[in-house]
Amino acid sequence: MNKEEQIMKDFRDLFNKIMWLDSFKMKISLKNYNPSEIHCIEYIGQNADSNVTKLAEYFYMTRSAISKLTKKLIEKGLIESYQKPDNKKEIYFRLTEQGKAINKVHEKLHEESQERDKAVFEKVSEEQFDIMLSFAEKYNRHLDAEIEKLGVDITSGFMVGIWMQK
Amino acid sequence: MNKEEQIMKDFRDLFNKIMWLDSFKMKISLKNYNPSEIHCIEYIGQNADSNVTKLAEYFYMTRSAISKLTKKLIEKGLIESYQKPDNKKEIYFRLTEQGKAINKVHEKLHEESQERDKAVFEKVSEEQFDIMLSFAEKYNRHLDAEIEKLGVDITSGFMVGIWMQK
DNA sequence: AAAATATTGTTGACGAGGACACAAAAAATT
DNA sequence: AATTTTTTGTGTCCTCGTCAACAATATTTT
């Protein structure tokens, strides 16, 4: 395996493990909610006037999936929908008090994860950070251009399954 | 957002885009097979005496899921199972000729992806490579230790959904 | 202003994969 | 050697997310 492959494999493993650990913790603290629900709540909590389409774009999921997800969150009383007087099509979401409470618990877990991995990041110098950031940004721009070339809407359903939550 | 968060976000985006592009291409060239089937074939092609358990560990999936997947691959005539004379429990897999053909097509796609991203990697110096590799390895070891602490089998079903294919 | 097109959100059918329970075989313990 | 424990693979049920088709509203074109 060459260095390019090695690096991508290592980072993939990294994210798989992080996801595994995060969902492990979440299944203990937030038994009745799955990761998708939690991340959806998180996004709605942070972004005013979230709607199905914005959520779909953010999570690389279909509008269909988000539509069902938000419906469930409404039924569970975690979010509520509202509309604007001048638009009868778009439906926005905001957190209920109960949703905000869940969000707090999740934020706490997030902080714990940061604390857990603090030791690793402390040993990374500014310069090393910048090298990695620069690489990731360049690679991202390159891929954006490649996706652009195809001229396809990324939420129109060319998906594999659950994507990595942002 | 601090640098730690920024770096993780950028790499997550990176992988989401790579997965999206890869599956986009695969849906065109390998219409009748989904990514899981292809990656399963890839693994079996590269690893002698693959079985359900090894595949599950490699792909962070449950044995149950792999069992169904391999069954389907057998039905499609892409792999075949065999056993060893001294073991009546373990069931191994190997590619059929048809499976090998599919694998070839996939390898070609993989090379095309490498070619696509070549320009990005060419601009990375040896030193920069090593910095990123070192970071990923340290972080991986850290997470391995954290997972170890929990004392849970990673294939025993504490999953989120589809994990990133290795 | 009317017609064509695009956007937004929803539904039902479907498929992939996890949860859980189980049987059979192998390995470890006694 | 007999019993217990672990490993391996499978089957059933359930959830989640895509796909495809659709209605309703908004936007653009003519």
Side-chain angles (χ1 to χ4, degrees):
Chain A
M1 197 175 337
N2 59 32
K3 283 196 175 181
E4 307 174 16
E5 286 176 312
Q6 188 67 48
I7 226 167
M8 298 315 274
K9 180 195 178 304
D10 284 357
F11 272 97
R12 259 197 302 271
D13 279 353
L14 206 52
F15 282 105
N16 275 329
K17 287 169 194 169
I18 289 170
M19 284 168 71
W20 189 90
L21 275 163
D22 285 354
S23 55
F24 184 89
K25 299 270 175 177
M26 274 172 57
K27 284 195 181 170
I28 292 166
S29 314
L30 296 162
K31 275 193 186 66
N32 303 314
Y33 312 97
N34 66 33
S36 301
E37 291 172 324
I38 301 296
H39 287 113
C40 196
I41 287 170
E42 185 182 24
Y43 182 90
I44 292 171
Q46 284 169 359
N47 299 82
D49 296 342
S50 308
N51 62 4
V52 167
T53 301
K54 283 183 206 157
L55 285 161
E57 282 168 5
Y58 187 76
F59 289 113
Y60 296 90
M61 283 167 66
T62 58
R63 292 201 309 273
S64 173
I66 300 291
S67 177
K68 288 166 191 168
L69 191 47
T70 50
K71 189 182 176 185
K72 198 165 56 169
L73 289 174
I74 290 171
E75 282 164 6
K76 287 189 178 184
L78 300 171
I79 65 173
E80 56 192 11
S81 64
Y82 63 96
Q83 289 190 282
K84 294 186 180 180
D86 56 335
N87 191 317
K88 288 171 185 169
K89 191 170 66 167
E90 296 182 357
I91 299 166
Y92 307 99
F93 306 109
R94 65 166 88 93
L95 298 187
T96 61
E97 286 308 311
Q98 201 190 334
K100 285 177 190 168
I102 297 295
N103 204 19
K104 280 265 166 63
V105 177
H106 174 249
E107 273 172 19
K108 188 126 180 296
L109 282 180
H110 190 69
E111 283 164 24
E112 282 174 24
S113 300
Q114 291 217 323
E115 192 62 29
R116 178 197 70 204
D117 298 342
K118 208 173 135 191
V120 176
F121 286 98
E122 271 172 355
K123 287 176 191 147
V124 180
S125 72
E126 280 295 304
E127 199 204 339
Q128 291 170 339
F129 260 124
D130 292 339
I131 285 168
M132 292 193 278
L133 269 176
S134 161
F135 170 77
E137 277 164 20
K138 275 180 198 149
Y139 204 165
N140 264 307
R141 277 200 296 275
H142 170 73
L143 293 174
D144 287 340
E146 291 292 326
I147 290 170
E148 186 75 20
K149 273 188 200 167
L150 299 172
V152 185
D153 172 12
I154 202 161
T155 67
S156 71
F158 267 94
M159 312 280 147
V160 198
I162 295 181
W163 288 67
M164 295 179 72
Q165 308 286 356
K166 280 187 189 170
Chain B
M1 197 173 339
N2 59 32
K3 285 197 175 181
E4 308 173 15
E5 286 175 312
Q6 187 67 49
I7 225 166
M8 299 314 274
K9 180 194 178 306
D10 284 358
F11 272 98
R12 260 196 302 271
D13 280 352
L14 207 52
F15 282 105
N16 275 329
K17 289 169 193 169
I18 289 170
M19 285 169 71
W20 189 90
L21 275 164
D22 284 355
S23 55
F24 184 89
K25 300 268 175 179
M26 274 172 59
K27 285 196 181 170
I28 292 166
S29 314
L30 295 162
K31 276 192 186 64
N32 304 312
Y33 312 98
N34 66 33
S36 302
E37 292 172 324
I38 301 296
H39 287 112
C40 196
I41 286 170
E42 184 181 25
Y43 183 91
I44 293 170
Q46 284 169 358
N47 299 83
D49 295 343
S50 307
N51 63 3
V52 168
T53 301
K54 282 183 207 157
L55 284 161
E57 282 169 2
Y58 188 76
F59 289 113
Y60 297 90
M61 283 166 68
T62 58
R63 293 201 309 276
S64 175
I66 299 291
S67 177
K68 289 162 197 166
L69 191 47
T70 50
K71 189 182 175 186
K72 197 164 58 171
L73 289 174
I74 290 171
E75 282 163 6
K76 288 190 178 183
L78 300 171
I79 65 172
E80 57 192 11
S81 65
Y82 62 94
Q83 289 190 282
K84 294 185 179 181
D86 56 336
N87 190 318
K88 289 171 185 169
K89 191 170 66 165
E90 296 181 358
I91 299 167
Y92 306 100
F93 305 109
R94 66 166 91 92
L95 298 187
T96 60
E97 286 309 311
Q98 201 191 334
K100 285 177 190 167
I102 297 295
N103 204 19
K104 278 266 166 62
V105 177
H106 175 248
E107 272 171 19
K108 188 126 179 295
L109 282 181
H110 191 68
E111 282 164 24
E112 282 174 22
S113 300
Q114 291 218 322
E115 193 62 27
R116 180 196 67 202
D117 298 342
K118 208 174 135 192
V120 176
F121 285 99
E122 271 172 357
K123 288 176 191 146
V124 180
S125 73
E126 280 296 304
E127 199 204 339
Q128 291 170 339
F129 260 125
D130 291 339
I131 284 167
M132 292 193 278
L133 270 176
S134 162
F135 170 76
E137 277 164 20
K138 274 180 198 148
Y139 204 166
N140 264 306
R141 278 200 296 276
H142 170 73
L143 293 174
D144 287 341
E146 291 292 325
I147 290 170
E148 186 77 19
K149 272 187 199 167
L150 298 173
V152 185
D153 172 11
I154 203 162
T155 68
S156 72
F158 267 95
M159 311 281 148
V160 197
I162 294 181
W163 288 66
M164 294 179 73
Q165 308 287 358
K166 277 188 190 169

